[in-house]
Amino acid sequence: MSSTEKRHYNPERAQQRREQVLDAAAQCFARRGFHAASMAEISKVAGMSAGHIYNYFSGKDEIISAFIELDTERVGELLGELGQAEDPLQEMVDTTREHVDESLEPVNWKLYLEISAEASRNDKIALRVQEGDRVSREQFGGLLRRCREARGLSTDDATIDGRMEVLIAMYQGLPLRLLHNPDLDRDALSESFKVALRALLFS
Amino acid sequence: MSSTEKRHYNPERAQQRREQVLDAAAQCFARRGFHAASMAEISKVAGMSAGHIYNYFSGKDEIISAFIELDTERVGELLGELGQAEDPLQEMVDTTREHVDESLEPVNWKLYLEISAEASRNDKIALRVQEGDRVSREQFGGLLRRCREARGLSTDDATIDGRMEVLIAMYQGLPLRLLHNPDLDRDALSESFKVALRALLFS
């Protein structure tokens, strides 16, 4: 980077601009889907010129990648907090309702559902989704192994992987339940969720 | 219908044609998504004239509705078979691996994921999805209640609804796991799935 460019580069402003684009893209994707939304439309909603937006993202695929990174960070923070608890597995059960509510928050799943549908037919996006998931599984698997070991429970790979996959499937399936049954009883759901969680974590 | 029309109407052929359109639509939706696929493209893949296709479906929304009906029928048949078993809940646990494999079959979930993403922004499709789910839940809820009653387990509404929602969330979340982790260990997953199932069904 030349010294002239350095003088003009303002990282805080760039970060603000990137967030502005991501907010606009989230709106456009949620409203019309990934394919129907265009970079021109996203730049319009973001209040930028069509050319300006390409300073921040080379295209829609790169915008989607940024969303996946943000989601992986969000999960990482949740797991990090959980890891600080005295008894992380018990904490996970005790905070079930909170995590159920968070999973059912449209801002957390609408876009992610769109990304998943896109990943099912776009290999580039699929690889990004898989990379984010691998990072989260490593973190979660480590926590699960450490806590189960402390309790004298089995920690072989099949048990850790299997428990983790089912547990994540339950959480990732929740938004689909809300779509299929908007009147679902969250109290009843959370109580049954705990029943399954306890079995998966403590046996 | 006039007698002339009656003479020309061949229900078997009409059914064949409808299936031809649905096969073509499934291919187009999976490849390009619901929005990007056009009726013209679907008719081309189906080997029909663009005008002819409208004899069977008024548009893409109606095609999606037909897919939802087929999926509801598929679930209904599965639950019907289960209901014939001597001990349906135990049968459900014993056939876990089979149902896990079925849920992970791309032909069963790719299109459904697309429909779910569409339902999140299209109220008409959302209502159809919800209606199909209501039918399946009524059938499943009845079976669960009857079997739990026979075992002397709690059958209050919150328990039945909660157990059912978590169980369906687990199954509906499975395809998302495959997208996120294509190398997932199906044996390990199925064993852990059984742990959660037993807790949800038998406690």
Side-chain angles (χ1 to χ4, degrees), chain A residues 92-94 96-97 100 163 166-167 170-171 187-203, chain B residues 148 153-154 158-160 162-164 166-167 170 192-203:
Chain A
M92 212 165 163
V93 175
D94 293 343
T96 297
R97 177 56 192 262
V100 164
R163 301 296 163 98
V166 175
L167 215 145
M170 283 166 61
Y171 274 111
D187 288 329
L189 172 81
S190 299
E191 283 315 303
S192 287
F193 214 88
K194 282 186 193 176
V195 169
L197 270 186
R198 279 194 213 99
L200 291 166
L201 297 173
F202 301 142
S203 77
Chain B
R148 287 178 62 93
L153 294 165
S154 136
T159 304
I160 297 295
R163 302 295 164 98
M164 203 156 56
V166 175
L167 215 145
M170 284 165 60
S192 287
F193 214 88
K194 282 184 192 177
V195 170
L197 270 186
R198 279 194 213 97
L200 290 167
L201 296 173
F202 301 142
S203 77

Side-chain angles (χ1 to χ4, degrees), chain B residues 97-184:
Chain B
R97 176 58 193 261
E98 214 172 286
H99 292 137
V100 163
D101 281 339
E102 217 213 328
S103 298
L104 293 178
E105 204 53 63
V107 71
N108 288 332
W109 63 262
K110 275 213 170 179
L111 188 63
Y112 209 79
L113 185 60
E114 185 64 34
I115 292 174
S116 300
E118 180 62 20
S120 78
R121 55 175 173 261
N122 178 334
D123 289 344
K124 219 165 129 188
I125 298 296
L127 283 174
R128 297 291 173 103
V129 162
Q130 288 157 19
E131 171 58 20
D133 195 72
R134 202 187 49 72
V135 170
S136 301
R137 267 183 290 129
E138 255 178 36
Q139 196 182 352
F140 186 25
L143 180 67
L144 192 58
R145 191 179 296 273
R146 168 167 75 78
C147 295
R148 287 178 62 93
E149 206 155 40
R151 284 173 177 261
L153 294 165
S154 136
T155 57
D156 59 286
D157 287 350
T159 304
I160 297 295
D161 285 354
R163 302 295 164 98
M164 203 156 56
E165 283 300 337
V166 175
L167 215 145
I168 308 176
M170 284 165 60
Y171 273 110
Q172 291 188 332
L174 279 183
L176 291 169
R177 293 314 306 141
L178 191 64
L179 261 181
H180 286 75
N181 182 9
D183 303 320
L184 61 83

Side-chain angles (χ1 to χ4, degrees), chain A residues 86-178:
Chain A
E86 205 187 309
D87 182 344
L89 302 191
Q90 186 58 50
E91 176 75 7
M92 212 165 163
V93 175
D94 293 343
T95 53
T96 297
R97 177 56 192 262
E98 216 172 283
H99 292 137
V100 164
D101 281 340
E102 217 212 328
S103 298
L104 293 178
E105 203 55 62
V107 72
N108 287 332
W109 64 261
K110 276 213 170 178
L111 188 62
Y112 209 79
L113 185 60
E114 186 64 32
I115 292 173
S116 299
E118 181 61 19
S120 78
R121 54 175 174 263
N122 179 332
D123 288 345
K124 218 165 131 189
I125 298 297
L127 283 173
R128 298 292 174 105
V129 162
Q130 289 157 20
E131 171 59 19
D133 196 72
R134 202 188 50 72
V135 170
S136 301
R137 267 183 291 129
E138 253 176 38
Q139 196 182 354
F140 185 24
L143 180 66
L144 193 58
R145 192 178 296 274
R146 167 167 75 79
C147 295
R148 286 180 62 94
E149 205 155 41
R151 285 175 176 258
L153 295 165
S154 136
T155 57
D156 59 288
D157 286 351
T159 305
I160 297 294
D161 285 355
R163 301 296 163 98
M164 203 157 57
E165 284 299 338
V166 175
L167 215 145
I168 309 176
M170 283 166 61
Y171 274 111
Q172 289 189 333
L174 279 184
L176 291 170
R177 294 313 306 142
L178 192 64

